[in-house]
Amino acid sequence: IPVAGEGEFVGRRRQIQEILREFRASADERHVGVLVHAVGGQGKSSLAARIAHRLGHTHATAVVFERYDAPAILGALNDAIGTPTASALIRDYLPRVEENPELLREVLRMLLERECDQLRRDAQGRVTSQPVLLIVDDFERALDEVTDGPHRVKPGNVPAMRALIQAF
C-alpha cells in the first residue's frame, strides 16, 4: 500500500497522539478501535502506517486491502499473527467460513481470545502471542455508491464486516 515517507508526512502529530490515546483507553475496554475517514488522497493510509509503526513493538499488524471478505480477513490475520496455533485454527475453519460467512465472528473471537489477548513471550524472550492492530484500508472499495443517501456496504461484504465489528 503506497504511503508517504517520513519526510512527506508532516502535520499529523495531534491525530497520532489522539489515536494512540484511544488505543491506550481500549485497555479498559471502553473502546475497541478508531475510524479514520476522509476523501481520498488525504493521508489516511499514511496515518495508519505511522500508527502501526508506533505500535509495532507491542502489536501484530494485519492489513485488509482490496478484498473485504472472510478469507481475506483471515488471511491478513494469519500473516500478522503467524503462530502455529493461529495458522492451524484458520486452516481448520476456513472451508467452513467460506461456506457460511456467519461463522467468521466465532473464528475471530477464538483468534482474539487465544492468540491476541496479551503480549506473551517464551523462555527465550520470543513473542508467542500479542494484541493485533487490524487496518482495513481503502474501505470505500467495499461500498456501493448511493446517489440519494449514504453509501452502503456491498451485499457480498456485509457478513464479513458485521462479523469483524462484532468480534472486535
Side-chain angles (χ1 to χ4, degrees):
I1 301 167
V3 296
E6 284 189 40
E8 302 167 310
F9 189 76
V10 296
R12 293 292 183 93
R13 182 180 171 130
R14 179 175 290 143
Q15 288 92 348
I16 290 171
Q17 289 172 341
E18 288 174 9
I19 291 169
L20 292 172
R21 197 170 19 260
E22 284 299 315
F23 280 114
R24 284 192 297 277
S26 295
D28 66 15
E29 298 185 24
R30 291 184 308 154
H31 309 281
V32 295
V34 173
L35 172 66
V36 177
H37 61 93
V39 296
Q42 300 299 307
K44 298 176 302 294
S45 297
S46 296
L47 180 62
R50 295 296 170 261
I51 297 300
H53 179 73
R54 292 281 295 272
L55 295 175
H57 63 287
T58 58
H59 288 67
T61 301
V63 179
V64 176
F65 176 70
E66 292 183 333
R67 284 187 43 221
Y68 305 93
D69 57 6
I73 292 167
L74 290 175
L77 288 168
N78 189 42
D79 291 345
I81 300 167
T83 65
T85 307
S87 295
L89 183 91
I90 291 168
R91 184 178 54 253
D92 292 347
Y93 277 91
L94 184 58
R96 288 185 263 176
V97 169
E98 287 176 321
E99 271 184 37
N100 180 5
E102 300 297 325
L103 291 176
L104 179 61
R105 183 175 81 70
E106 293 174 43
V107 176
L108 290 172
R109 291 298 301 234
M110 285 187 275
L111 279 170
L112 294 170
E113 291 170 1
R114 295 179 189 175
E115 298 296 311
C116 304
D117 60 341
Q118 60 184 317
L119 182 63
R120 287 185 281 208
R121 297 181 185 273
D122 64 15
Q124 289 76 37
R126 295 178 300 233
V127 173
T128 58
S129 73
Q130 62 189 38
V132 66
L133 171 65
L134 176 67
I135 298 171
V136 180
D137 198 30
D138 277 353
F139 187 65
E140 62 270 13
R141 294 175 187 226
L143 302 176
D144 277 331
E145 189 173 331
V146 178
T147 56
D148 61 342
H151 294 359
R152 294 190 180 99
V153 176
K154 292 178 181 177
N157 294 323
V158 169
M161 290 299 106
R162 179 179 293 128
L164 185 66
I165 291 168
Q166 290 172 341
F168 272 81

